Amino acid sequence: MSEEAPLSPLSTIASPQLWAITIVVLLALLAADFAITHRPHDVAMREAVGWSIFYLALPGAFGVLLWQVYGRRPAVEFYTGWVVEKSLSVDNLFVFMLLLAAFAVPPQLAQRVLLYGIAGALVLRAIFIAAGAAVLQTGAWAFLLFGAALLLTAGKVLRDAARDEEYHVDIDTMRSVRLLRRLMPVTGDYHGGRLTVRLNGRRTLTPLALVVVAVFVTDLVFAVDSVPAVYGVTEDPYLVFATNAFALLGLRALYFVLRNALGRLRHLDYGLAVILGFIGVKLVLHWAHKVWPSVPDIPTELSLVVIALALATVTVTSLVANRREAVKASETAS
């Protein structure tokens, strides 16, 4: 059995200047989003579609820039990682939708809740990405660890999908919510976009603060899966961060576009299970390739094809199943 060779420092295309520019642009986009949501309002479909197109065009242009400046491989890795993150984020949106309904968030405040959640998620992802890079520095065994974690997650997602049980959120059982209620009083009503108000001389949380924390904690769970998944596509911490950032930035607008369609993607979890399982296998093979070079390594281009086919397949099967159910319902009614 071959011994693991010590790993060299993770290669990255990013210079300190590129990191600085990326962070400044990211902060500017977040500031623009906060300015837009300063006055709470219900988001119209036209507005949501416009912003969604913008946040789809942004990573598209960024990938082209990567291709021209750094070559084909970083660009393909970025696009593949972004597709992985975007597909996982659609599942995140479904849970966010349930949280907003459980907390009875007024429609005009929904985008502010999502924006707080996205800002917090970016901080969390940055921490997880840095931790992942540190783990990868310790040896090739880290790829085996990440791969095993994704395979376990894929199995859980597949079992939950096979049970076909309706997912629900009970906010009274959420530990984060219970802890906040113990630490501070909570008002019974929303107070616009404010997280706290002063009542009877005492600082009091609003329900908006509770739902923001719930979204933040929920994304902590999602980060455990999504960050290793992207490390299965690229070992460059900068590209991992960029894919997460671009996928998260468009979530607010995408939520309002898909909120009526998310429930119709009934087979989405099967597709996510396939994607997570495939990347888990890819990571295990990558570990084996580093230990035994004769073991094949799955190329990134093949990963992109498999991920795209999985998403296309579950979208088509969901639409077919919905159509059959609608026909059956109409026949029963008649």
Side-chain angles (χ1 to χ4, degrees), residues 237-301:
Y238 174 78
L239 291 178
V240 175
F241 178 77
T243 57
N244 274 267
F246 279 113
L248 287 170
L249 281 174
L251 277 188
R252 177 183 64 85
L254 189 62
Y255 170 84
F256 294 100
V257 174
L258 295 181
R259 60 182 169 182
N260 295 324
L262 284 175
R264 299 181 63 81
L265 294 175
R266 57 173 65 192
H267 297 157
L268 177 62
D269 284 348
Y270 289 102
L272 295 179
V274 170
I275 292 171
L276 291 173
F278 173 78
I279 298 177
V281 171
K282 184 179 187 294
L283 281 167
V284 172
L285 288 176
H286 189 59
W287 162 79
H289 177 74
K290 287 183 174 293
V291 178
W292 303 286
S294 59
V295 175
D297 215 357
I298 298 177
T300 304
E301 292 83 356

Side-chain angles (χ1 to χ4, degrees), residues 79-132:
Y79 282 132
T80 306
W82 180 80
V83 171
V84 170
E85 279 301 305
K86 206 65 180 176
S87 60
L88 292 174
S89 70
V90 172
D91 200 41
N92 297 11
L93 284 179
F94 180 70
V95 178
F96 292 163
M97 182 174 63
L98 295 176
L99 282 171
L100 294 179
F103 280 95
V105 177
Q108 65 270 23
L109 294 179
Q111 61 175 339
R112 177 50 64 97
V113 171
L114 293 170
L115 193 54
Y116 277 128
I118 290 168
L122 284 169
V123 175
L124 278 177
R125 300 297 171 90
I127 294 172
F128 271 76
I129 289 165

